[in-house]
């Protein structure tokens, strides 16, 4: 059947290069939204039939042309494969700090910048975030090959619910946060909790100083217990109350 496109979609031009038309762009990569279904089934096994929300994820129609969306798609593909590798490797690992060889930190940072940028141009209903002066910086980092600016860095944490966990239990759209005295955003995709630092300050000690990924030829990551994170606690509570998990997954918290 022929797809019928709404008029405003035909008229809108790409926010990055100005080309027309724009296409459907997923805010969280679709493959990452889909991975959650496995974890979700697992998480609600004790309550069969009570939890049946679909997780295809949210998208925007008017932000990117096919070429620009594809550019992000390449970074997203690498991130999906990388996060799968981390989950597999971390299955046998205790809490601690590790390195994934052969994956450059900057390539994952460009992926994170792309996701955050998409949320900065998303509709309010889809959980738009305000990046301020970092909107332009993240756009350049995601869509061009400029060096990742020093104010932009991230830490990756594999959250495990139990000893042999290699699954994805939830994803979460970006929400503003502050860690170790610096500003940034937290998000959860592919079973990996990410804190993206958007701040010129560089903490002298702590996890950000030791395990941040910018400029690293091999990818640092930290294995942690999921129970210590609200990304685990809140969905568990919602599942228990039979609440709408999707409203938590797709939107940032109300400020
Ligand atoms: Zn474009």
């Amino acid at each position: 059947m022929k797809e019928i496109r709404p008029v405003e979609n035909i008229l809108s031009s790409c926010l990055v290069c100005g080309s027309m038309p724009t296409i459907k762009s997923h805010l969280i990569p679709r493959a990452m939204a889909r991975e959650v279904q496995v974890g979700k089934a697992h998480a609600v096994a004790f309550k069969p039939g009570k939890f049946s929300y679909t997780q295809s994820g949210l998208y925007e129609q008017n932000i990117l042309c096919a070429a620009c969306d594809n550019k992000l798609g390449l970074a997203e593909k690498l991130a999906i494969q990388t996060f799968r590798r981390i989950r597999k490797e971390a299955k046998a690992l205790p809490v601690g700090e590790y390195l994934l060889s052969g994956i450059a930190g900057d390539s994952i940072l460009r992926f994170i910048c792309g996701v955050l940028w998409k949320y900065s141009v998303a509709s309010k209903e889809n959980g738009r975030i305000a990046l301020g002066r970092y909107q332009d910086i993240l756009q350049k980092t995601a869509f061009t090959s400029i060096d990742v600016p020093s104010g932009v860095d991230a830490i990756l944490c594999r959250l495990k619910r139990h000893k042999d966990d290699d699954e994805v239990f939830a994803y979460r759209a970006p929400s503003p946060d502050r860690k170790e005295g610096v500003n940034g955003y937290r998000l959860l995709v592919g079973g990996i909790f990410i804190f993206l630092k958007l701040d010129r300050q560089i903490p002298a000690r702590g996890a950000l100083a030791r395990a941040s990924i910018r400029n690293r030829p091999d990818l640092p990551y930290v294995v942690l217990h999921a129970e210590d994170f609200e990304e685990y606690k809140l969905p568990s509570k919602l599942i228990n109350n039979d609440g709408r998990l999707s409203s938590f997954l797709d939107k940032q918290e109300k400020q």
Side-chain angles (χ1 to χ4, degrees):
M1 211 161 70
K2 212 175 153 200
E3 195 190 349
I4 300 163
R5 297 157 69 93
V7 174
E8 71 269 25
N9 188 29
I10 295 167
L11 295 177
S12 58
S13 54
C14 175
L15 297 176
V16 175
C17 74
S19 293
M20 290 196 276
T22 52
I23 62 155
K24 197 161 134 178
S25 296
H26 283 267
L27 292 172
I28 298 280
R30 199 154 53 144
M32 284 178 166
R34 278 196 187 138
E35 281 174 333
V36 176
Q37 295 189 334
V38 178
K40 194 172 65 183
H42 184 85
V44 294
F46 59 93
K47 244 184 171 184
K50 281 267 182 179
F51 203 82
S52 56
Y53 309 125
T54 57
Q55 282 302 304
S56 57
L58 295 174
Y59 58 85
E60 291 288 334
Q61 294 269 21
N62 306 316
I63 60 170
L64 291 172
C65 71
C68 290
D69 189 66
N70 270 342
K71 212 172 265 178
L72 295 188
L74 290 176
E76 291 174 355
K77 206 172 156 192
L78 178 80
I80 289 162
Q81 289 163 353
T82 301
F83 292 175
R84 274 185 199 146
R85 265 183 71 193
I86 291 178
R87 293 203 301 275
K88 210 172 149 197
E89 202 176 275
K91 191 179 175 179
L93 297 173
V95 164
E97 293 172 17
Y98 302 93
L99 273 182
L100 190 75
S101 63
I103 301 291
D106 288 2
S107 60
I108 300 300
L109 262 179
R110 290 187 204 282
F111 153 72
I112 303 165
C113 290
V115 173
L116 268 279
W117 179 83
K118 280 189 280 186
Y119 271 97
S120 79
V121 295
S123 61
K124 265 196 179 137
E125 300 75 59
N126 280 352
R128 181 165 68 216
I129 55 172
L131 290 176
R133 67 181 197 90
Y134 278 99
Q135 184 174 41
D136 188 47
I137 293 170
L138 294 202
Q139 181 179 326
K140 286 199 178 84
T141 309
F143 291 96
T144 74
S145 48
I146 60 154
D147 288 345
V148 180
S150 61
V152 177
D153 208 337
I155 184 167
L156 308 180
C157 306
R158 166 62 185 146
L159 305 189
K160 286 173 71 172
R161 291 165 302 167
H162 54 83
K163 195 170 150 281
D164 296 320
D165 191 12
D166 63 352
E167 291 183 337
V168 180
F169 59 86
Y171 70 87
R172 188 191 191 185
S175 56
D177 195 15
R178 197 172 157 82
K179 290 231 175 297
E180 298 183 348
V182 295
N183 294 315
Y185 278 83
R186 61 196 291 151
L187 75 151
L188 179 73
V189 284
I192 311 291
F193 170 86
I194 299 166
F195 178 70
L196 178 71
K197 179 191 86 138
L198 298 178
D199 200 310
R200 268 181 288 214
Q201 287 205 67
I202 301 169
R205 277 185 292 274
L208 268 167
R210 289 196 310 273
S212 58
I213 65 174
R214 181 177 163 271
N215 231 336
R216 301 286 296 265
D218 296 312
L219 189 69
Y221 69 94
V222 186
V223 175
L224 293 171
H225 294 302
E227 303 87 78
D228 298 334
F229 283 74
E230 67 184 41
E231 278 74 10
Y232 176 79
K233 284 186 271 194
L234 288 178
S236 303
K237 219 157 76 186
L238 288 173
I239 290 164
N240 286 329
N241 295 337
D242 198 28
R244 297 284 304 190
L245 182 61
S246 56
S247 68
F248 169 79
L249 297 173
D250 286 328
K251 284 171 195 160
Q252 66 164 330
E253 279 166 289
K254 297 263 178 297
Q255 291 299 293

